[in-house]
Amino acid sequence: MTSYSTLPRHCWCGTMEGNWYAVYVRSRHEFIVQTALAHKGLQTFLPAVERLRQWKDRKKKVLFPLFPGYLFVQCNGDAAHFLAVLKTKGVVKILGDSSGYQPVPLQQIESLKTMIAGRCAVDEYPYIKEGQKVRIAQGPLAGVCGILVKKGSEHKVVVSIDLLQKGVAVTVDGASIEPLV
């Protein structure tokens, strides 16, 4: 088994041509699946970041997946490659829709690799589009619902009172909001 402390900040192994696919894995199996897929000769990418964790007696930097439950694998579209991925212990599924497995655009993978390799502070951020209805999930404004707008570099949640045709906006941290379905 691979020691987490010896893995690089972003973990990618192997060489292959083809598209990148997102793989959903069992909880806390990201590093195990990444190692198993690499042993099968498949190129994998597991974006991971170090975070400081504190116990009663010590503090330690621990490697965590940036997207818990997910990693990326490069496949050439051959059914044998997909089958090899799906037969790997800990793999739940390859993400896709009714038309099949959906590749992740190479530009997104390359951008993610660059961000991780740059050793800047990288955190998961909710996928929310401007104009989408959102709810503030944490902090003193938890439970407030409104519409996300971006003004300059700030995110704001606007709460509108339709009857009055007026609204109010509050600046929020993007990590504290979640989309409303």
Side-chain angles (χ1 to χ4, degrees):
M1 188 160 134
T2 304
S3 169
Y4 299 150
S5 61
T6 62
L7 291 170
R9 191 158 188 234
H10 58 80
C11 307
W12 62 276
C13 304
T15 57
M16 181 185 284
E17 295 296 322
N19 292 319
W20 286 94
Y21 295 88
V23 178
Y24 180 58
V25 300
R26 290 181 56 195
S27 178
R28 299 178 184 242
H29 279 70
E30 298 89 353
F31 292 101
I32 296 165
V33 170
Q34 188 267 337
T35 303
L37 289 171
H39 285 320
K40 291 183 178 185
L42 295 170
Q43 185 169 354
T44 61
F45 174 51
L46 174 58
V49 293
E50 281 184 338
R51 295 199 176 121
L52 189 63
R53 288 292 176 234
Q54 182 174 347
W55 290 269
K56 289 182 180 180
D57 60 338
R58 67 187 185 282
K59 292 181 182 179
K60 184 178 179 183
K61 286 187 176 181
V62 180
L63 199 61
F64 284 94
L66 184 60
F67 304 116
Y70 296 93
L71 59 89
F72 302 97
V73 65
Q74 193 173 27
C75 293
N76 63 9
D78 182 22
H81 282 116
F82 290 128
L83 189 59
V85 171
L86 292 169
K87 283 188 169 184
T88 304
K89 185 176 181 180
V91 170
V92 176
K93 65 180 179 178
I94 301 171
L95 300 186
D97 58 18
S98 60
S99 65
Y101 304 128
Q102 295 299 310
V104 177
L106 182 60
Q107 181 184 6
Q108 292 176 7
I109 295 292
E110 293 300 327
S111 295
L112 190 55
K113 283 182 179 181
T114 302
M115 289 172 68
I116 298 290
R119 291 222 176 252
C120 51
V122 178
D123 281 313
E124 185 179 5
Y125 194 80
Y127 181 71
I128 300 174
K129 296 179 183 176
E130 189 174 348
Q132 187 173 352
K133 290 184 179 183
V134 296
R135 175 185 307 124
I136 300 175
Q138 50 189 313
L141 301 175
V144 171
C145 298
I147 297 173
L148 181 70
V149 295
K150 188 173 181 182
K151 188 171 186 176
S153 63
E154 295 181 329
H155 288 102
K156 295 182 179 280
V157 173
V158 177
V159 177
S160 298
I161 309 298
D162 295 332
L163 189 61
L164 299 177
Q165 294 184 352
K166 300 229 182 243
V168 293
V170 62
T171 302
V172 295
D173 176 29
S176 68
I177 57 176
E178 60 187 17
L180 285 177
V181 181

mmCIF file with all atom_site columns, all heavy atoms in Angstrom, residues 23 32-44 71-73 84-86 88 91:
data_model
loop_
_atom_site.group_PDB
_atom_site.id
_atom_site.type_symbol
_atom_site.label_atom_id
_atom_site.label_alt_id
_atom_site.label_comp_id
_atom_site.label_asym_id
_atom_site.label_entity_id
_atom_site.label_seq_id
_atom_site.pdbx_PDB_ins_code
_atom_site.Cartn_x
_atom_site.Cartn_y
_atom_site.Cartn_z
_atom_site.occupancy
_atom_site.B_iso_or_equiv
_atom_site.pdbx_formal_charge
_atom_site.auth_seq_id
_atom_site.auth_comp_id
_atom_site.auth_asym_id
_atom_site.auth_atom_id
_atom_site.pdbx_PDB_model_num
ATOM 1   N N   . VAL A 1 23 ? -13.808 9.343  -12.514 1.00 0.00 ? 23 VAL A N   1
ATOM 2   C CA  . VAL A 1 23 ? -14.163 8.057  -11.915 1.00 0.00 ? 23 VAL A CA  1
ATOM 3   C C   . VAL A 1 23 ? -14.632 8.310  -10.488 1.00 0.00 ? 23 VAL A C   1
ATOM 4   O O   . VAL A 1 23 ? -13.947 8.963  -9.702  1.00 0.00 ? 23 VAL A O   1
ATOM 5   C CB  . VAL A 1 23 ? -12.955 7.098  -11.913 1.00 0.00 ? 23 VAL A CB  1
ATOM 6   C CG1 . VAL A 1 23 ? -13.313 5.779  -11.249 1.00 0.00 ? 23 VAL A CG1 1
ATOM 7   C CG2 . VAL A 1 23 ? -12.448 6.869  -13.329 1.00 0.00 ? 23 VAL A CG2 1
ATOM 8   N N   . ILE A 1 32 ? -6.043  4.513  -2.908  1.00 0.00 ? 32 ILE A N   1
ATOM 9   C CA  . ILE A 1 32 ? -5.952  3.072  -3.159  1.00 0.00 ? 32 ILE A CA  1
ATOM 10  C C   . ILE A 1 32 ? -6.301  2.779  -4.613  1.00 0.00 ? 32 ILE A C   1
ATOM 11  O O   . ILE A 1 32 ? -5.592  2.030  -5.296  1.00 0.00 ? 32 ILE A O   1
ATOM 12  C CB  . ILE A 1 32 ? -6.884  2.299  -2.199  1.00 0.00 ? 32 ILE A CB  1
ATOM 13  C CG1 . ILE A 1 32 ? -6.422  2.493  -0.756  1.00 0.00 ? 32 ILE A CG1 1
ATOM 14  C CG2 . ILE A 1 32 ? -6.966  0.832  -2.565  1.00 0.00 ? 32 ILE A CG2 1
ATOM 15  C CD1 . ILE A 1 32 ? -7.433  2.087  0.299   1.00 0.00 ? 32 ILE A CD1 1
ATOM 16  N N   . VAL A 1 33 ? -7.389  3.363  -5.111  1.00 0.00 ? 33 VAL A N   1
ATOM 17  C CA  . VAL A 1 33 ? -7.803  3.148  -6.500  1.00 0.00 ? 33 VAL A CA  1
ATOM 18  C C   . VAL A 1 33 ? -6.774  3.735  -7.458  1.00 0.00 ? 33 VAL A C   1
ATOM 19  O O   . VAL A 1 33 ? -6.431  3.118  -8.475  1.00 0.00 ? 33 VAL A O   1
ATOM 20  C CB  . VAL A 1 33 ? -9.206  3.750  -6.752  1.00 0.00 ? 33 VAL A CB  1
ATOM 21  C CG1 . VAL A 1 33 ? -9.543  3.742  -8.234  1.00 0.00 ? 33 VAL A CG1 1
ATOM 22  C CG2 . VAL A 1 33 ? -10.256 2.979  -5.958  1.00 0.00 ? 33 VAL A CG2 1
ATOM 23  N N   . GLN A 1 34 ? -6.245  4.911  -7.125  1.00 0.00 ? 34 GLN A N   1
ATOM 24  C CA  . GLN A 1 34 ? -5.232  5.535  -7.981  1.00 0.00 ? 34 GLN A CA  1
ATOM 25  C C   . GLN A 1 34 ? -4.022  4.617  -8.137  1.00 0.00 ? 34 GLN A C   1
ATOM 26  O O   . GLN A 1 34 ? -3.525  4.416  -9.246  1.00 0.00 ? 34 GLN A O   1
ATOM 27  C CB  . GLN A 1 34 ? -4.819  6.884  -7.391  1.00 0.00 ? 34 GLN A CB  1
ATOM 28  C CG  . GLN A 1 34 ? -3.923  7.720  -8.275  1.00 0.00 ? 34 GLN A CG  1
ATOM 29  C CD  . GLN A 1 34 ? -2.450  7.531  -8.017  1.00 0.00 ? 34 GLN A CD  1
ATOM 30  O OE1 . GLN A 1 34 ? -2.031  7.105  -6.941  1.00 0.00 ? 34 GLN A OE1 1
ATOM 31  N NE2 . GLN A 1 34 ? -1.653  7.849  -9.005  1.00 0.00 ? 34 GLN A NE2 1
ATOM 32  N N   . THR A 1 35 ? -3.574  4.031  -7.048  1.00 0.00 ? 35 THR A N   1
ATOM 33  C CA  . THR A 1 35 ? -2.430  3.119  -7.094  1.00 0.00 ? 35 THR A CA  1
ATOM 34  C C   . THR A 1 35 ? -2.764  1.863  -7.897  1.00 0.00 ? 35 THR A C   1
ATOM 35  O O   . THR A 1 35 ? -1.959  1.416  -8.712  1.00 0.00 ? 35 THR A O   1
ATOM 36  C CB  . THR A 1 35 ? -2.003  2.740  -5.657  1.00 0.00 ? 35 THR A CB  1
ATOM 37  O OG1 . THR A 1 35 ? -1.698  3.939  -4.938  1.00 0.00 ? 35 THR A OG1 1
ATOM 38  C CG2 . THR A 1 35 ? -0.794  1.833  -5.663  1.00 0.00 ? 35 THR A CG2 1
ATOM 39  N N   . ALA A 1 36 ? -3.955  1.311  -7.690  1.00 0.00 ? 36 ALA A N   1
ATOM 40  C CA  . ALA A 1 36 ? -4.353  0.091  -8.413  1.00 0.00 ? 36 ALA A CA  1
ATOM 41  C C   . ALA A 1 36 ? -4.461  0.346  -9.920  1.00 0.00 ? 36 ALA A C   1
ATOM 42  O O   . ALA A 1 36 ? -4.025  -0.487 -10.728 1.00 0.00 ? 36 ALA A O   1
ATOM 43  C CB  . ALA A 1 36 ? -5.689  -0.419 -7.875  1.00 0.00 ? 36 ALA A CB  1
ATOM 44  N N   . LEU A 1 37 ? -5.014  1.479  -10.308 1.00 0.00 ? 37 LEU A N   1
ATOM 45  C CA  . LEU A 1 37 ? -5.123  1.807  -11.735 1.00 0.00 ? 37 LEU A CA  1
ATOM 46  C C   . LEU A 1 37 ? -3.745  2.031  -12.353 1.00 0.00 ? 37 LEU A C   1
ATOM 47  O O   . LEU A 1 37 ? -3.486  1.638  -13.489 1.00 0.00 ? 37 LEU A O   1
ATOM 48  C CB  . LEU A 1 37 ? -6.009  3.036  -11.941 1.00 0.00 ? 37 LEU A CB  1
ATOM 49  C CG  . LEU A 1 37 ? -7.501  2.830  -11.673 1.00 0.00 ? 37 LEU A CG  1
ATOM 50  C CD1 . LEU A 1 37 ? -8.231  4.170  -11.701 1.00 0.00 ? 37 LEU A CD1 1
ATOM 51  C CD2 . LEU A 1 37 ? -8.110  1.870  -12.680 1.00 0.00 ? 37 LEU A CD2 1
ATOM 52  N N   . ALA A 1 38 ? -2.846  2.656  -11.601 1.00 0.00 ? 38 ALA A N   1
ATOM 53  C CA  . ALA A 1 38 ? -1.484  2.870  -12.096 1.00 0.00 ? 38 ALA A CA  1
ATOM 54  C C   . ALA A 1 38 ? -0.773  1.532  -12.297 1.00 0.00 ? 38 ALA A C   1
ATOM 55  O O   . ALA A 1 38 ? -0.029  1.362  -13.270 1.00 0.00 ? 38 ALA A O   1
ATOM 56  C CB  . ALA A 1 38 ? -0.709  3.753  -11.131 1.00 0.00 ? 38 ALA A CB  1
ATOM 57  N N   . HIS A 1 39 ? -1.014  0.560  -11.405 1.00 0.00 ? 39 HIS A N   1
ATOM 58  C CA  . HIS A 1 39 ? -0.415  -0.774 -11.553 1.00 0.00 ? 39 HIS A CA  1
ATOM 59  C C   . HIS A 1 39 ? -0.948  -1.479 -12.796 1.00 0.00 ? 39 HIS A C   1
ATOM 60  O O   . HIS A 1 39 ? -0.273  -2.343 -13.345 1.00 0.00 ? 39 HIS A O   1
ATOM 61  C CB  . HIS A 1 39 ? -0.667  -1.631 -10.317 1.00 0.00 ? 39 HIS A CB  1
ATOM 62  C CG  . HIS A 1 39 ? 0.184   -1.267 -9.141  1.00 0.00 ? 39 HIS A CG  1
ATOM 63  N ND1 . HIS A 1 39 ? 1.515   -0.917 -9.238  1.00 0.00 ? 39 HIS A ND1 1
ATOM 64  C CD2 . HIS A 1 39 ? -0.109  -1.183 -7.822  1.00 0.00 ? 39 HIS A CD2 1
ATOM 65  C CE1 . HIS A 1 39 ? 2.004   -0.645 -8.043  1.00 0.00 ? 39 HIS A CE1 1
ATOM 66  N NE2 . HIS A 1 39 ? 1.026   -0.789 -7.154  1.00 0.00 ? 39 HIS A NE2 1
ATOM 67  N N   . LYS A 1 40 ? -2.149  -1.110 -13.237 1.00 0.00 ? 40 LYS A N   1
ATOM 68  C CA  . LYS A 1 40 ? -2.718  -1.687 -14.465 1.00 0.00 ? 40 LYS A CA  1
ATOM 69  C C   . LYS A 1 40 ? -2.210  -0.966 -15.713 1.00 0.00 ? 40 LYS A C   1
ATOM 70  O O   . LYS A 1 40 ? -2.603  -1.300 -16.817 1.00 0.00 ? 40 LYS A O   1
ATOM 71  C CB  . LYS A 1 40 ? -4.246  -1.615 -14.422 1.00 0.00 ? 40 LYS A CB  1
ATOM 72  C CG  . LYS A 1 40 ? -4.870  -2.537 -13.399 1.00 0.00 ? 40 LYS A CG  1
ATOM 73  C CD  . LYS A 1 40 ? -6.377  -2.470 -13.445 1.00 0.00 ? 40 LYS A CD  1
ATOM 74  C CE  . LYS A 1 40 ? -6.997  -3.439 -12.454 1.00 0.00 ? 40 LYS A CE  1
ATOM 75  N NZ  . LYS A 1 40 ? -8.463  -3.489 -12.561 1.00 0.00 ? 40 LYS A NZ  1
ATOM 76  N N   . GLY A 1 41 ? -1.370  0.036  -15.524 1.00 0.00 ? 41 GLY A N   1
ATOM 77  C CA  . GLY A 1 41 ? -0.787  0.754  -16.654 1.00 0.00 ? 41 GLY A CA  1
ATOM 78  C C   . GLY A 1 41 ? -1.638  1.899  -17.171 1.00 0.00 ? 41 GLY A C   1
ATOM 79  O O   . GLY A 1 41 ? -1.368  2.427  -18.244 1.00 0.00 ? 41 GLY A O   1
ATOM 80  N N   . LEU A 1 42 ? -2.641  2.292  -16.418 1.00 0.00 ? 42 LEU A N   1
ATOM 81  C CA  . LEU A 1 42 ? -3.503  3.389  -16.845 1.00 0.00 ? 42 LEU A CA  1
ATOM 82  C C   . LEU A 1 42 ? -2.992  4.701  -16.245 1.00 0.00 ? 42 LEU A C   1
ATOM 83  O O   . LEU A 1 42 ? -2.556  4.741  -15.097 1.00 0.00 ? 42 LEU A O   1
ATOM 84  C CB  . LEU A 1 42 ? -4.936  3.139  -16.390 1.00 0.00 ? 42 LEU A CB  1
ATOM 85  C CG  . LEU A 1 42 ? -5.609  1.919  -17.017 1.00 0.00 ? 42 LEU A CG  1
ATOM 86  C CD1 . LEU A 1 42 ? -6.917  1.613  -16.321 1.00 0.00 ? 42 LEU A CD1 1
ATOM 87  C CD2 . LEU A 1 42 ? -5.839  2.156  -18.498 1.00 0.00 ? 42 LEU A CD2 1
ATOM 88  N N   . GLN A 1 43 ? -3.066  5.758  -17.027 1.00 0.00 ? 43 GLN A N   1
ATOM 89  C CA  . GLN A 1 43 ? -2.650  7.063  -16.520 1.00 0.00 ? 43 GLN A CA  1
ATOM 90  C C   . GLN A 1 43 ? -3.768  7.617  -15.664 1.00 0.00 ? 43 GLN A C   1
ATOM 91  O O   . GLN A 1 43 ? -4.923  7.678  -16.073 1.00 0.00 ? 43 GLN A O   1
ATOM 92  C CB  . GLN A 1 43 ? -2.333  8.025  -17.652 1.00 0.00 ? 43 GLN A CB  1
ATOM 93  C CG  . GLN A 1 43 ? -1.793  9.335  -17.128 1.00 0.00 ? 43 GLN A CG  1
ATOM 94  C CD  . GLN A 1 43 ? -1.212  10.219 -18.203 1.00 0.00 ? 43 GLN A CD  1
ATOM 95  O OE1 . GLN A 1 43 ? -1.104  9.828  -19.337 1.00 0.00 ? 43 GLN A OE1 1
ATOM 96  N NE2 . GLN A 1 43 ? -0.839  11.429 -17.829 1.00 0.00 ? 43 GLN A NE2 1
ATOM 97  N N   . THR A 1 44 ? -3.397  8.038  -14.461 1.00 0.00 ? 44 THR A N   1
ATOM 98  C CA  . THR A 1 44 ? -4.376  8.567  -13.516 1.00 0.00 ? 44 THR A CA  1
ATOM 99  C C   . THR A 1 44 ? -3.960  9.941  -13.051 1.00 0.00 ? 44 THR A C   1
ATOM 100 O O   . THR A 1 44 ? -2.775  10.306 -13.113 1.00 0.00 ? 44 THR A O   1
ATOM 101 C CB  . THR A 1 44 ? -4.504  7.650  -12.289 1.00 0.00 ? 44 THR A CB  1
ATOM 102 O OG1 . THR A 1 44 ? -3.242  7.579  -11.634 1.00 0.00 ? 44 THR A OG1 1
ATOM 103 C CG2 . THR A 1 44 ? -4.974  6.260  -12.670 1.00 0.00 ? 44 THR A CG2 1
ATOM 104 N N   . LEU A 1 71 ? -11.496 10.708 -8.935  1.00 0.00 ? 71 LEU A N   1
ATOM 105 C CA  . LEU A 1 71 ? -10.190 10.855 -9.551  1.00 0.00 ? 71 LEU A CA  1
ATOM 106 C C   . LEU A 1 71 ? -10.390 10.779 -11.054 1.00 0.00 ? 71 LEU A C   1
ATOM 107 O O   . LEU A 1 71 ? -11.505 10.523 -11.521 1.00 0.00 ? 71 LEU A O   1
ATOM 108 C CB  . LEU A 1 71 ? -9.193  9.805  -9.046  1.00 0.00 ? 71 LEU A CB  1
ATOM 109 C CG  . LEU A 1 71 ? -9.499  8.326  -9.235  1.00 0.00 ? 71 LEU A CG  1
ATOM 110 C CD1 . LEU A 1 71 ? -8.981  7.828  -10.567 1.00 0.00 ? 71 LEU A CD1 1
ATOM 111 C CD2 . LEU A 1 71 ? -8.818  7.549  -8.138  1.00 0.00 ? 71 LEU A CD2 1
ATOM 112 N N   . PHE A 1 72 ? -9.335  11.019 -11.796 1.00 0.00 ? 72 PHE A N   1
ATOM 113 C CA  . PHE A 1 72 ? -9.430  11.036 -13.248 1.00 0.00 ? 72 PHE A CA  1
ATOM 114 C C   . PHE A 1 72 ? -8.538  9.953  -13.826 1.00 0.00 ? 72 PHE A C   1
ATOM 115 O O   . PHE A 1 72 ? -7.458  9.681  -13.313 1.00 0.00 ? 72 PHE A O   1
ATOM 116 C CB  . PHE A 1 72 ? -9.004  12.402 -13.801 1.00 0.00 ? 72 PHE A CB  1
ATOM 117 C CG  . PHE A 1 72 ? -9.811  13.541 -13.247 1.00 0.00 ? 72 PHE A CG  1
ATOM 118 C CD1 . PHE A 1 72 ? -9.347  14.284 -12.178 1.00 0.00 ? 72 PHE A CD1 1
ATOM 119 C CD2 . PHE A 1 72 ? -11.047 13.859 -13.791 1.00 0.00 ? 72 PHE A CD2 1
ATOM 120 C CE1 . PHE A 1 72 ? -10.088 15.324 -11.649 1.00 0.00 ? 72 PHE A CE1 1
ATOM 121 C CE2 . PHE A 1 72 ? -11.799 14.904 -13.276 1.00 0.00 ? 72 PHE A CE2 1
ATOM 122 C CZ  . PHE A 1 72 ? -11.320 15.636 -12.202 1.00 0.00 ? 72 PHE A CZ  1
ATOM 123 N N   . VAL A 1 73 ? -8.991  9.341  -14.918 1.00 0.00 ? 73 VAL A N   1
ATOM 124 C CA  . VAL A 1 73 ? -8.218  8.319  -15.596 1.00 0.00 ? 73 VAL A CA  1
ATOM 125 C C   . VAL A 1 73 ? -8.261  8.605  -17.095 1.00 0.00 ? 73 VAL A C   1
ATOM 126 O O   . VAL A 1 73 ? -9.278  9.070  -17.619 1.00 0.00 ? 73 VAL A O   1
ATOM 127 C CB  . VAL A 1 73 ? -8.738  6.895  -15.272 1.00 0.00 ? 73 VAL A CB  1
ATOM 128 C CG1 . VAL A 1 73 ? -10.149 6.680  -15.804 1.00 0.00 ? 73 VAL A CG1 1
ATOM 129 C CG2 . VAL A 1 73 ? -7.813  5.828  -15.803 1.00 0.00 ? 73 VAL A CG2 1
ATOM 130 N N   . ALA A 1 84 ? -11.287 -2.466 -17.489 1.00 0.00 ? 84 ALA A N   1
ATOM 131 C CA  . ALA A 1 84 ? -10.194 -2.557 -16.523 1.00 0.00 ? 84 ALA A CA  1
ATOM 132 C C   . ALA A 1 84 ? -10.412 -1.560 -15.377 1.00 0.00 ? 84 ALA A C   1
ATOM 133 O O   . ALA A 1 84 ? -10.161 -1.871 -14.212 1.00 0.00 ? 84 ALA A O   1
ATOM 134 C CB  . ALA A 1 84 ? -8.856  -2.291 -17.208 1.00 0.00 ? 84 ALA A CB  1
ATOM 135 N N   . VAL A 1 85 ? -10.894 -0.373 -15.717 1.00 0.00 ? 85 VAL A N   1
ATOM 136 C CA  . VAL A 1 85 ? -11.170 0.626  -14.687 1.00 0.00 ? 85 VAL A CA  1
ATOM 137 C C   . VAL A 1 85 ? -12.310 0.147  -13.793 1.00 0.00 ? 85 VAL A C   1
ATOM 138 O O   . VAL A 1 85 ? -12.221 0.178  -12.564 1.00 0.00 ? 85 VAL A O   1
ATOM 139 C CB  . VAL A 1 85 ? -11.516 1.991  -15.325 1.00 0.00 ? 85 VAL A CB  1
ATOM 140 C CG1 . VAL A 1 85 ? -12.008 2.974  -14.272 1.00 0.00 ? 85 VAL A CG1 1
ATOM 141 C CG2 . VAL A 1 85 ? -10.316 2.558  -16.064 1.00 0.00 ? 85 VAL A CG2 1
ATOM 142 N N   . LEU A 1 86 ? -13.400 -0.293 -14.403 1.00 0.00 ? 86 LEU A N   1
ATOM 143 C CA  . LEU A 1 86 ? -14.585 -0.695 -13.640 1.00 0.00 ? 86 LEU A CA  1
ATOM 144 C C   . LEU A 1 86 ? -14.353 -1.923 -12.772 1.00 0.00 ? 86 LEU A C   1
ATOM 145 O O   . LEU A 1 86 ? -15.021 -2.087 -11.745 1.00 0.00 ? 86 LEU A O   1
ATOM 146 C CB  . LEU A 1 86 ? -15.760 -0.934 -14.591 1.00 0.00 ? 86 LEU A CB  1
ATOM 147 C CG  . LEU A 1 86 ? -16.292 0.324  -15.272 1.00 0.00 ? 86 LEU A CG  1
ATOM 148 C CD1 . LEU A 1 86 ? -17.263 -0.038 -16.387 1.00 0.00 ? 86 LEU A CD1 1
ATOM 149 C CD2 . LEU A 1 86 ? -16.937 1.247  -14.257 1.00 0.00 ? 86 LEU A CD2 1
ATOM 150 N N   . THR A 1 88 ? -11.658 -2.513 -11.134 1.00 0.00 ? 88 THR A N   1
ATOM 151 C CA  . THR A 1 88 ? -10.724 -2.165 -10.069 1.00 0.00 ? 88 THR A CA  1
ATOM 152 C C   . THR A 1 88 ? -11.470 -2.046 -8.743  1.00 0.00 ? 88 THR A C   1
ATOM 153 O O   . THR A 1 88 ? -12.506 -1.391 -8.661  1.00 0.00 ? 88 THR A O   1
ATOM 154 C CB  . THR A 1 88 ? -10.009 -0.836 -10.394 1.00 0.00 ? 88 THR A CB  1
ATOM 155 O OG1 . THR A 1 88 ? -9.373  -0.967 -11.670 1.00 0.00 ? 88 THR A OG1 1
ATOM 156 C CG2 . THR A 1 88 ? -8.984  -0.495 -9.337  1.00 0.00 ? 88 THR A CG2 1
ATOM 157 N N   . VAL A 1 91 ? -13.693 1.111  -7.274  1.00 0.00 ? 91 VAL A N   1
ATOM 158 C CA  . VAL A 1 91 ? -14.333 1.940  -8.297  1.00 0.00 ? 91 VAL A CA  1
ATOM 159 C C   . VAL A 1 91 ? -15.831 1.684  -8.270  1.00 0.00 ? 91 VAL A C   1
ATOM 160 O O   . VAL A 1 91 ? -16.277 0.535  -8.262  1.00 0.00 ? 91 VAL A O   1
ATOM 161 C CB  . VAL A 1 91 ? -13.764 1.644  -9.710  1.00 0.00 ? 91 VAL A CB  1
ATOM 162 C CG1 . VAL A 1 91 ? -14.596 2.322  -10.787 1.00 0.00 ? 91 VAL A CG1 1
ATOM 163 C CG2 . VAL A 1 91 ? -12.322 2.100  -9.800  1.00 0.00 ? 91 VAL A CG2 1
#
